[in-house]
Amino acid sequence: MQTRAGVSLVLLVFGLVGVVSAKIYFHEEFDRDWESRWQKTQAKADQQGAFEWTKGKWPLENEMAYGLQTTTDSKFYEISCRLSAPVTTSEKPLAFQYSLRFEQDIECGGGYLKLVGPDYKSEEFGADTPVLVMFGPDVCGGDNKIHLMLDFDGKGKLWGKTPPAPTDHLTHVYTMLLYPNETYEVFVDMVSVGNGTISDDWDVAIPKTIPDPNDKKPDDWDDRMYLDDPASVKPADWVDVETIEDTSATKPEDWDDAKEGEWKPPIIKNPEYKGEWKPKKLYNTNYKGVWTPKQIPNPEYRGSVLKPYTIGGIGIDVWQVRHGTIFDNIMLTDSREEAFAAAKKILDVQVAEEKVFEEKERKEMEQKAAEERAAEAQREKDEENDFSDDVKQDL
């Protein structure tokens, strides 16, 4: 029976037509004993940040919310867990899934996981460890993408597609599926954000299929992950004019308009400038994922390109400028159904509860902002009254 106590290897048998087996090779939900299974690297010890076992800033009631959170800015986070037995990808699908929450406003940092071979050394795990699969988001400034790097004969090559990752403060579930016929699919919260064939989407060989030039995106396909919040209004006192004329400047006495042209005061940086105002973003409930045209057979295709992997461990290996990311619910299985069942539970229970706290937090912030505006308006009124009283006294 599978329990919350981290890593589990189970065999589930179910019947549809005949008997089909589904294996969960690894399932880590990070219980209190997680440190007995995960080993921190000894490499670059003075540059390593510590993980905290926590639910994050919100007092969530469900126990599944516990995960590992990064705790210090500008640090490496490198930790790994060895599988109870190596897993070979050959005749069955491979589903690799985990949940991730950017509790911080992510500026520059990774949120991906790695699958490594059985010969890796836990105490040396890090950037130099050979990687079979690297999967997950990487955000740095305006560069936001979900990575899927695969090993091809010792060379790691990145996915040709670059769908964006959610950057809000809720938990999201990332799922990667590799199939024996060398097709794949990537999901975020059970919504497909990319699929195709290995030969098409990695720069490794002649593609097995090519995009159908006659396939067009449906008119009702919504590929916008976030929308502007219509309730988000630019504050009346928001100044977005970056430069202004220097009102303290005066025209030089020796200025000759006839010779030098009309005098204009110099331009200076506006001390009231607050930057470009942008409305708050809301997750688009009609988001359908990234649309891609259907593929048609390529007559020039010459055969398979991806060799089977033997997986021996799973690791976190990231650098983060700002800390606060929570890793949780890591699963490795040969069943899409098992992965999606776990993902659905996370979304229905944990994320649903997070949204309640997020909404409460939003209302509290709006109330605080309204109180601050009211207080500022009262201060201005009081100053006007004081000025009026001073004028009367002078008269």
Side-chain angles (χ1 to χ4, degrees), residues 197-202 204-213 294-305:
T197 67
I198 303 300
S199 56
D200 287 342
D201 297 333
W202 278 261
V204 291
I206 297 174
K208 184 177 182 179
T209 63
I210 56 176
D212 183 351
K294 68 180 181 181
Q295 302 290 304
I296 57 177
N298 182 358
E300 299 182 3
Y301 176 65
R302 295 292 181 269
S304 62
V305 296

Side-chain angles (χ1 to χ4, degrees), residues 63-83:
E63 291 298 304
M64 67 189 296
Y66 278 108
L68 299 190
Q69 185 174 39
T70 59
T71 60
T72 309
D73 291 348
S74 301
K75 292 289 185 180
F76 288 101
Y77 293 88
E78 296 170 326
I79 193 171
S80 63
C81 181
R82 190 172 296 277
L83 302 186

